[in-house]
Amino acid sequence: MEKMKGHIAILMANVIFGLGVPVTKSLLTDWVTPMGYMATRCVGATILFWIVACFLPREKVERKDLATIMLGGLLGFVISQTLTAEALKYTTPVYFSLVAALTPIAVMLLAALFIKEEITTLKMVGVALGIGGALLMLFMSWTGGAGTSGSNDLLGIFLAILSVLTWAVYLIITRKVSSKYSSVTQMKYVFLISTIVTVPIALATEPQQALYSSAWEWSGVLQMAFIVLFATGLGYFLIPYAMKFLRATTVSIYTNIQPIVASLVAMAVGQDIFTWDKPLAAVMVLVGAYIVTMPEKAEAGK
């Protein structure tokens, strides 16, 4: 039953994140700069989580764990999500979300590198497929083939890959801490440190934020409200909650839902176009991710 709660939580989180990709693209196109977007998310989520924490039992966090949580916040939110915002300035929601689906492969490779986790021959096949899909996207972006529609898809995909790598590190280093403290306790510190870092930088770009000028419109406000309340507040609450019951690789496989949701919505609203390379890259990346996260026989029940 507990594992089922974890699966439901991470499923919800990734559907929300998938919807957040085209919403973020719209915000960055019309309303805010990447750092303005980040600072708004951080401030909103900080207020939200600290208010919620006032109504919950207080948890004492050990100093070393607090350092891990805050480091995780800098990696998994400030750096990873800033790279995400920058990537979406240059590439399409479909390409970005396909790169995001490489997360389980990145987690496995980094786990093998830092904690010496064994990689089987079958998992190497999965890695090869996933990387092949990423290389196909990079090749099509580099050559300008198949009607790529981002302003600079090659740069956007590269930034997206960096975002995935930092997110994978976040999943690995916070796994043990996530099992010790509640989601609210973790997230209130994650977003506090994120706010301290992002707000001073964002203030310097305030004149470029149309959302915070006389040109604002309700459409922009509602889009940002979705990002703050759902794609940040609820989404980042659900991830550490799920990690209490599931392994990091299990959590990461649900990232594969994001490209499906993001692609369908992006094409429906005209942010992207259907080209032959996208479904082929999607098959390679998603099959590769599935192979990488297939449980070993001894772990089949996890």
Side-chain angles (χ1 to χ4, degrees), residues 16 90 161 244:
I16 291 169
Y90 299 108
I161 290 172
K244 286 178 175 292

Side-chain angles (χ1 to χ4, degrees), residues 206-225:
E206 193 276 332
Q208 303 173 42
Q209 318 292 341
L211 188 62
Y212 303 114
S213 71
S214 58
W216 74 273
E217 294 180 7
W218 280 111
S219 60
V221 173
L222 291 174
Q223 289 173 29
M224 186 59 80

Side-chain angles (χ1 to χ4, degrees), residues 10-19 21 93-107 126 129-131 137 164 167 171 248-264 278 281-294:
I10 201 63
L11 172 65
M12 290 175 58
N14 280 283
V15 169
I16 291 169
F17 290 151
L19 292 171
V21 172
V94 173
Y95 273 153
F96 171 80
S97 58
L98 287 176
V99 173
L102 291 168
T103 298
I105 293 174
V107 169
L129 276 172
I131 292 176
M137 289 183 276
V164 165
W167 178 250
L171 289 177
T249 49
T250 303
V251 169
S252 66
I253 194 174
Y254 277 93
T255 308
N256 296 341
I257 294 167
Q258 292 185 36
I260 298 170
V261 175
S263 299
L264 291 174
K278 289 167 185 169
V283 170
M284 295 175 71
V285 168
L286 297 180
V287 171
Y290 172 75
I291 291 173
V292 163
T293 51
M294 284 175 61

Side-chain angles (χ1 to χ4, degrees), residues 22-38 40 89 202 205-225 227 271:
V23 174
T24 296
K25 180 72 173 180
S26 178
L27 282 167
L28 295 171
T29 300
D30 299 324
W31 297 110
V32 290
T33 64
M35 194 51 64
Y37 165 85
M38 283 296 301
T40 304
K89 277 177 58 180
T205 63
E206 193 276 332
Q208 303 173 42
Q209 318 292 341
L211 188 62
Y212 303 114
S213 71
S214 58
W216 74 273
E217 294 180 7
W218 280 111
S219 60
V221 173
L222 291 174
Q223 289 173 29
M224 186 59 80
I227 293 297
Q271 288 182 346

Side-chain angles (χ1 to χ4, degrees), residues 176-291:
K176 290 183 178 179
V177 172
S178 294
S179 65
K180 292 178 64 175
Y181 306 103
S182 71
S183 300
V184 172
T185 296
Q186 293 175 69
M187 290 300 105
K188 74 178 187 179
Y189 289 114
V190 163
F191 288 109
L192 177 61
I193 189 65
S194 299
T195 296
I196 292 170
V197 171
T198 60
V199 168
I201 301 173
L203 287 174
T205 63
E206 193 276 332
Q208 303 173 42
Q209 318 292 341
L211 188 62
Y212 303 114
S213 71
S214 58
W216 74 273
E217 294 180 7
W218 280 111
S219 60
V221 173
L222 291 174
Q223 289 173 29
M224 186 59 80
F226 173 82
I227 293 297
V228 172
L229 296 176
F230 292 95
T232 306
L234 182 57
Y236 276 81
F237 168 83
L238 291 171
I239 289 172
Y241 177 81
M243 290 182 70
K244 286 178 175 292
F245 311 114
L246 305 173
R247 294 179 298 123
T249 49
T250 303
V251 169
S252 66
I253 194 174
Y254 277 93
T255 308
N256 296 341
I257 294 167
Q258 292 185 36
I260 298 170
V261 175
S263 299
L264 291 174
V265 174
M267 291 180 185
V269 300
Q271 288 182 346
D272 212 331
I273 57 176
F274 181 86
T275 54
W276 69 266
D277 64 306
K278 289 167 185 169
L280 178 57
V283 170
M284 295 175 71
V285 168
L286 297 180
V287 171
Y290 172 75
I291 291 173

Side-chain angles (χ1 to χ4, degrees), residues 74-85:
L74 292 175
L75 286 171
F77 192 78
V78 176
I79 297 177
S80 179
Q81 294 302 302
T82 298
L83 287 167
T84 290

Side-chain angles (χ1 to χ4, degrees), residues 91-92 95 98 131-155 157 273-282 284:
T91 193
T92 66
Y95 273 153
L98 287 176
I131 292 176
L135 291 175
L136 174 61
M137 289 183 276
L138 288 169
F139 176 76
M140 297 308 298
S141 302
W142 179 53
T143 61
T148 51
S149 51
S151 62
N152 189 336
D153 283 310
L154 188 62
L155 176 59
I157 291 171
I273 57 176
F274 181 86
T275 54
W276 69 266
D277 64 306
K278 289 167 185 169
L280 178 57
M284 295 175 71

